[in-house]
Amino acid sequence: MTGWTEFVAAFALFLLSHALPARPAVRAKLVGALGEGGFLFAYSIESLLVLAWLIVAAARAPFVELWPFERWQMLVPNLALPLACQLTAFGVGAANPLSFGGDPRKRFDSDHPGIVGVVRHPLLAAIGLWAAAHAVPNGDLAHVALFGFFALIALFGMVIIDRRKRRQLGAETWARLAARTSFWPFAALITGRFRPDLRKISLLRVGVGLAAWLSLLWLHPIVIGVSPLP
């Protein structure tokens, strides 16, 4: 197990670095010392550094094949990532009282929910899509554990937030706000509960999502050391 030491340590630090600051007493002390903006900045930098170490540790862990690599598997993340980037671009700062990452100052129209009509938790859906897609061409134990963990966290996060928001808002209010939204991406669109107004789609956000996707394509071989293209 000595070859797994770094991976286990990075995983443990990642969990602790997210669990401890989330505790109300710890968060209050950190916000009191750093301010809200300082806390968010420090937390973001720390999260990125620990995540980077976790990814590096997964690459260094002993290789235990769970399924063989096939070149077609690389198509999965290449098809999923453009959607994940668009979900992120539209989800950040959107009017969304049903999840996190939105702007509470914006008015939410439950009859015209925008990105929330596509999926109720766009940021968590993007994380889950990214993680699940990357597990397909990385069929060794360390990477399946890494990406599977993020996919499960995103999935359970959506379930937990739904329960919390239903409790906070009240079942009747939550049901009214969520009537034209869906837990799974595009479910409300497929069933006809959500009909988007294409005229209101922000071209700026489309451009941001496209730029983010192209940036990830360009940075992947530089940062990860492997081209993401088949």
Side-chain angles (χ1 to χ4, degrees):
M1 289 295 291
T2 55
W4 291 95
T5 302
E6 183 184 11
F7 181 67
V8 173
F11 228 129
L13 181 60
F14 181 87
L15 293 175
L16 287 173
S17 66
H18 284 72
L20 291 179
R23 297 179 66 85
V26 176
R27 180 186 172 90
K29 289 183 179 179
L30 292 173
V31 170
L34 303 173
E36 183 68 27
F39 166 75
L40 292 175
F41 178 77
Y43 181 70
S44 299
I45 296 299
E46 175 270 338
S47 297
L48 288 173
L49 290 175
V50 175
L51 176 60
W53 182 34
L54 180 56
I55 293 173
V56 170
R60 292 174 177 168
F63 183 82
V64 179
E65 185 178 84
L66 299 181
W67 59 78
F69 170 77
E70 301 288 346
R71 185 159 292 275
W72 66 263
Q73 295 168 353
M74 298 181 70
L75 291 173
V76 178
N78 276 282
L79 293 173
L81 261 292
L83 175 58
C85 288
Q86 290 297 331
L87 289 176
T88 302
F90 277 87
V92 172
N96 186 1
L98 300 173
S99 189
F100 79 99
D103 188 344
R105 298 169 298 180
K106 292 182 178 178
R107 176 180 171 272
F108 178 71
D109 184 354
S110 59
D111 290 328
H112 304 91
I115 187 61
V116 189
V118 176
V119 61
R120 195 152 54 240
H121 307 283
L123 299 185
L124 285 174
I127 293 172
L129 189 60
W130 164 80
H134 274 76
V136 176
N138 292 281
D140 63 282
L141 180 58
H143 283 95
V144 169
L146 172 66
F147 292 122
F149 168 78
F150 281 109
L152 289 175
I153 285 294
L155 178 61
F156 283 113
M158 292 189 286
V159 173
I160 291 170
I161 291 176
D162 271 356
R163 291 177 179 174
R164 182 186 302 157
K165 291 293 184 178
R166 188 183 288 111
R167 184 176 63 252
Q168 292 173 344
L169 298 170
E172 184 176 342
T173 299
W174 185 91
R176 176 176 58 81
L177 294 176
R180 299 184 185 277
T181 73
S182 56
F183 183 87
W184 299 108
F186 303 109
L189 187 64
I190 293 172
T191 58
R193 290 184 290 114
F194 171 57
R195 285 289 180 264
D197 186 348
L198 300 181
R199 296 170 300 176
K200 293 184 178 181
I201 294 178
S202 170
L203 294 180
L204 175 60
R205 289 185 180 258
V206 171
V208 169
L210 180 61
W213 171 55
L214 293 175
S215 297
L216 290 173
L217 277 180
W218 176 64
L219 289 171
H220 200 284
I222 299 173
V223 177
I224 306 300
V226 178
S227 172
L229 300 176

